[in-house]
Amino acid sequence: MARPTWAGLKAEAILELRNRSDIAARTEAWLREAYLEVAYGYRFYELEKSKNFILSVGASEITFATIGATDIKHTLSLKDTTNSRKLESTSFRFLDRRSISNGTPTHYCRFGAAYLFDAKVVSTGIAYTLRYRKQITEPNFSDSSSPETPHEWDEVIRLFALSRGFNALFEPEQATSKRSIALDLVSRLPTDEFVEAEDANFGIEVRQ
């Protein structure tokens, strides 16, 4: 079975929303909002990336563009691979209260489209590995693209969009019903922990 495209998800949503001809643009907005809720509300390995970079001598900050990671949404971790240790995330207020002197950074923070560090690198540059969640690609309802989230979450996105749509069209009972169905589906999607536990017990437990 072929995976539905954004155009297909839109057509199906309009059909369920009483097949109204005046809500095409609004349906796109509801699908977009539902996609954001799913993509950033749950963890997906498909949206995780990593980048290696070097903080040069004398530097205490670096931009995303310099790293080559302009699509950062959320920072997951930052490791100093030169000294084999993980840097602690902090706030810019913590850094502002300190004198940024020469040394080896132990803390960092994100500020705008850059990372700030609590020390200026001395002697040789320090290598880092950045792990982050990337920004999702804007849905395109006129081509053959699909959500970047896994296939099995397409139905959740559609149902969340329908819930938003029915709320906007003053049908709260339908809105509640669609969201309830979506959340039930989410609860039944297997997690990595569940799959790994099944694998660990394979061949030991009696199958029912």
Side-chain angles (χ1 to χ4, degrees):
M1 179 180 176
R3 183 176 186 179
T5 63
W6 279 116
L9 290 171
K10 174 185 173 181
E12 181 65 23
I14 290 176
L15 186 63
E16 289 202 47
L17 291 166
R18 314 303 186 200
N19 203 23
R20 290 177 52 160
S21 60
D22 60 337
I23 59 170
R26 298 175 73 188
T27 301
E28 290 183 4
W30 297 327
L31 281 165
R32 188 177 293 108
E33 291 165 2
Y35 185 36
L36 288 170
E37 179 180 359
V38 168
Y40 297 141
Y42 302 91
R43 182 181 179 185
F44 299 105
Y45 298 128
E46 292 82 353
L47 299 179
E48 295 176 353
K49 298 175 71 175
S50 64
K51 279 283 186 179
N52 297 318
F53 67 92
I54 292 183
L55 192 61
S56 58
V57 175
S60 62
E61 64 179 83
I62 190 169
T63 65
F64 294 173
T66 301
I67 295 172
T70 56
D71 59 345
I72 296 173
K73 180 64 177 179
H74 300 129
T75 304
L76 301 178
S77 74
L78 185 58
K79 180 181 179 180
D80 174 348
T81 53
T82 298
N83 299 293
S84 298
R85 64 182 178 185
K86 179 180 180 293
L87 270 69
E88 296 297 324
S89 176
T90 188
S91 74
F92 69 89
R93 293 180 179 84
F94 172 82
L95 298 183
D96 285 348
R97 289 194 298 267
R98 299 165 62 100
S99 175
I100 307 300
S101 56
N102 294 335
T104 301
T106 58
H107 293 75
Y108 77 96
C109 81
R110 174 179 179 172
F111 188 80
Y115 288 117
L116 312 182
F117 298 85
D118 64 344
K120 296 180 181 179
V121 176
V122 294
S123 66
T124 59
I126 297 178
Y128 292 96
T129 296
L130 166 68
R131 306 188 194 284
Y132 67 95
R133 175 184 293 174
K134 78 179 197 69
Q135 298 174 12
I136 57 176
T137 303
E138 181 74 9
N140 189 326
F141 296 95
S142 60
D143 65 13
S144 59
S145 63
S146 299
E148 293 178 270
T149 45
H151 187 175
E152 61 269 25
W153 286 79
D154 291 355
E155 181 68 1
V156 177
I157 293 171
R158 189 182 67 82
L159 288 165
F160 278 164
L162 288 174
S163 177
R164 284 173 163 77
F166 278 120
N167 260 326
L169 298 175
F170 307 103
E171 295 191 48
E173 291 184 0
Q174 282 288 344
T176 300
S177 173
K178 297 300 182 184
R179 188 163 186 86
S180 177
I181 295 170
L183 292 175
D184 178 66
L185 178 56
V186 169
S187 72
R188 290 186 284 110
L189 290 173
T191 62
D192 281 346
E193 291 77 8
F194 174 81
V195 174
E196 289 169 2
E198 286 282 294
D199 184 66
N201 294 325
F202 183 75
I204 299 176
E205 293 184 343
V206 176
R207 294 184 178 275
Q208 302 297 323

